[in-house]
Amino acid sequence: MAGRLLRGCGRAAAAGWAPVSRGLPAAPGPCPRRGCGEAAGLRAMGFSEEQARRLLGLRPRLGPRRREAAAAQLLLLGLSAEAALGLLERSPALLELPAERLQGRAGELRRLGLDGGQLQRAVRRCPQLFTVPRKRMAAAVRLLRERCLFTAEQLREMLGTCPAVLLEEPRRLHHHFQYVYFRMGVQQKEMVKARLFRMPFAELRNRHIFLERRGLYQTPHKGQTQTSNPKLKDILQLPEKDFLASLARSTPEEYEVFKKLLAREEEEEEEEEEEDRDALHAEEDLDSEESKPARE
């Protein structure tokens, strides 16, 4: 048996072939076929080799068609390859959205007046515009137009500078607007130019009340705005250090103490309101018991 095997090997060697080794399979090379094809597709879309590598590193288990479709939709908005990649790196969840969803949401934003450079800046600043539920976005638009009475042009300008306003819960958004309109006496035109919704409501309220208690801001009387009041734009856009120095004429230490005292006041007010509600419910329960017919 051994002799026959040796003779067989000898004849195989003489014929120019040798038995195939049955060792471990060869390790895959550094560029698997699927990855190379996907990278080539991205490069054909305008991404550099480095950009394609970074893009492939996002959600690596995602199918290539979904990744390329998402990237293509962002490029169709007019974003550069680097801008589209940066957007996807900040919000990789966009890669999992169907292309139809991205395309449809872009169309909705265009119908609101955003187009060209404005649309590009809006999605770069706020990629959540693609993921926020459509009902939430529609409710915010309806509130701003129908209850806050911003014009279509004012809404377009507002969305161009503060697109995150479409993510806000309508009740909070309305409270924010009402405070500035009634308490501060500011009209819609000035709100838009001051980029009102960029500053969180809590910080806006802190600055306004601080000025008010220092005698530097007067609440309008019967709709008449005080011309001596600081401009909303200055209240909102000045860095805190400049706001305190030029408008409030105060120190950071005084402002910090004020904010703590104001927070304490709000807590006490909430506790009093809760006690009043409990007392009211107790009275209603007592009246209900007394109104029941007596049992025979």
Side-chain angles (χ1 to χ4, degrees):
M1 176 67 71
R4 286 198 296 272
L5 287 174
L6 290 172
R7 286 195 296 273
C9 288
R11 287 195 297 271
W17 60 274
V20 177
S21 172
R22 297 186 180 276
L24 295 174
C31 182
R33 180 176 300 176
R34 179 176 176 272
C36 283
E38 197 171 346
L42 294 172
R43 289 197 299 272
M45 294 167 61
F47 292 94
S48 68
E49 185 173 351
E50 171 63 19
Q51 290 169 339
R53 183 191 63 77
R54 288 161 54 192
L55 188 50
L56 290 173
L58 302 174
R59 304 290 170 95
R61 295 184 179 182
L62 195 68
R65 291 183 180 179
R66 180 66 63 82
R67 192 191 317 276
E68 291 181 6
Q73 288 301 322
L74 296 180
L75 295 177
L76 287 174
L77 293 179
L79 296 177
S80 66
E82 183 61 31
L85 175 59
L87 187 64
L88 291 172
E89 286 178 329
R90 295 197 307 275
S91 299
L94 296 180
L95 290 168
E96 299 185 4
L97 295 179
E100 295 78 9
R101 168 74 176 274
L102 295 172
Q103 187 176 17
R105 183 54 56 85
E108 293 172 8
L109 295 173
R110 287 191 178 97
R111 285 190 289 274
L112 291 174
L114 294 177
D115 207 348
Q118 275 197 325
L119 180 58
Q120 295 167 27
R121 288 190 293 273
V123 298
R124 282 203 304 267
R125 287 174 178 157
C126 187
Q128 296 90 341
L129 289 175
F130 287 113
T131 56
V132 65
R134 187 176 183 276
K135 289 184 178 180
R136 167 68 68 82
M137 192 173 79
V141 171
R142 189 164 53 250
L143 172 74
L144 293 168
R145 291 284 283 119
E146 298 177 4
R147 301 189 67 182
C148 301
L149 301 180
F150 288 102
T151 67
E153 177 61 24
Q154 288 171 342
L155 178 62
R156 183 190 67 80
E157 186 176 348
M158 184 191 305
L159 297 181
T161 58
C162 185
V165 71
L166 295 179
L167 313 180
E168 291 290 336
E169 196 274 324
R171 182 179 59 83
R172 294 177 182 271
L173 194 60
H174 196 211
H175 179 65
H176 197 157
F177 167 81
Q178 287 185 314
Y179 183 92
V180 177
Y181 187 83
F182 292 107
R183 277 291 308 275
M184 301 181 69
V186 178
Q187 300 296 310
Q188 289 88 338
K189 183 177 180 180
E190 187 179 349
M191 293 182 197
V192 174
K193 292 189 176 300
R195 302 177 181 179
L196 169 63
F197 296 107
R198 274 196 176 186
M199 174 173 282
F201 174 71
E203 179 58 24
L204 164 67
R205 185 171 180 270
N206 285 341
R207 291 192 177 194
H208 168 244
I209 295 179
F210 190 57
L211 291 172
E212 197 174 46
R213 294 190 180 179
R214 293 180 66 82
L216 300 172
Y217 201 104
Q218 298 181 26
T219 301
H221 180 64
K222 295 183 179 181
Q224 297 298 316
T225 304
Q226 299 291 330
T227 56
S228 59
N229 285 337
K231 296 293 185 183
L232 180 64
K233 181 178 180 181
D234 294 331
I235 296 174
L236 295 176
Q237 297 186 13
L238 284 175
E240 184 175 294
K241 179 180 178 181
D242 297 332
F243 163 77
L244 293 173
S246 61
L247 290 187
R249 299 195 286 274
S250 180
T251 64
E253 292 76 16
E254 289 176 317
Y255 189 48
E256 287 302 316
V257 171
F258 160 77
K259 288 191 289 186
K260 292 178 182 179
L261 292 175
L262 184 61
R264 187 180 303 171
E265 288 179 15
E266 292 176 347
E267 291 177 2
E268 293 175 353
E269 290 175 0
E270 291 176 359
E271 291 175 358
E272 290 177 1
E273 291 176 359
E274 187 174 354
E275 290 174 358
D276 292 342
R277 284 194 298 268
D278 292 341
L280 180 60
H281 292 326
E283 290 178 2
E284 291 175 350
D285 293 341
L286 181 59
D287 292 341
S288 177
E289 289 292 331
E290 293 178 349
S291 64
K292 289 181 180 179
R295 295 182 180 179
E296 295 180 356

